[in-house]
Amino acid sequence: HLMWKKIEEMVRKNTGGNYPAPEAIVDVVKYGSAHPNPDDKLRNERETFAKLAATTESEALIGIFDGMNRLKKHPYGSPA
């Protein structure tokens, strides 16, 4: 389908293929639009999320997020 092809091209262009989650989101939405059973949709979404949560990219992004939050809360003192 042309719409999905264009969406996938945009995602690859914007992520440089470096992040698996945006492509997986498109796949989950495609699956959901093709499968009317809500239980099937939720199972697919749950399984996809679990796979993504276990990637090295996920671990790295969580580490960056945690580090940024720690920096925001660090009392560096008043400027000179």
Side-chain angles (χ1 to χ4, degrees):
H1 194 264
L2 180 62
M3 178 184 76
W4 293 117
K5 183 178 179 194
K6 289 293 182 188
I7 291 169
E8 290 166 351
E9 287 173 3
M10 282 179 32
V11 168
R12 275 193 295 279
K13 179 182 176 189
N14 288 319
T15 65
N18 294 314
Y19 304 100
E23 292 181 13
I25 291 167
V26 173
D27 291 341
V28 166
V29 173
K30 281 171 55 175
Y31 182 92
S33 68
H35 295 81
N37 183 328
D39 291 335
D40 290 342
K41 293 177 186 185
L42 292 173
R43 178 194 47 76
N44 181 60
E45 185 175 346
R46 182 177 60 247
E47 290 173 359
T48 301
F49 178 82
K51 287 178 193 172
L52 289 170
T55 63
T56 56
E57 292 89 352
S58 175
E59 184 179 347
L61 290 169
I62 291 169
I64 291 170
F65 177 81
D66 287 344
M68 290 175 70
N69 282 328
R70 284 191 202 116
L71 285 173
K72 289 178 192 174
K73 296 175 183 177
H74 191 280
Y76 290 106
S78 52

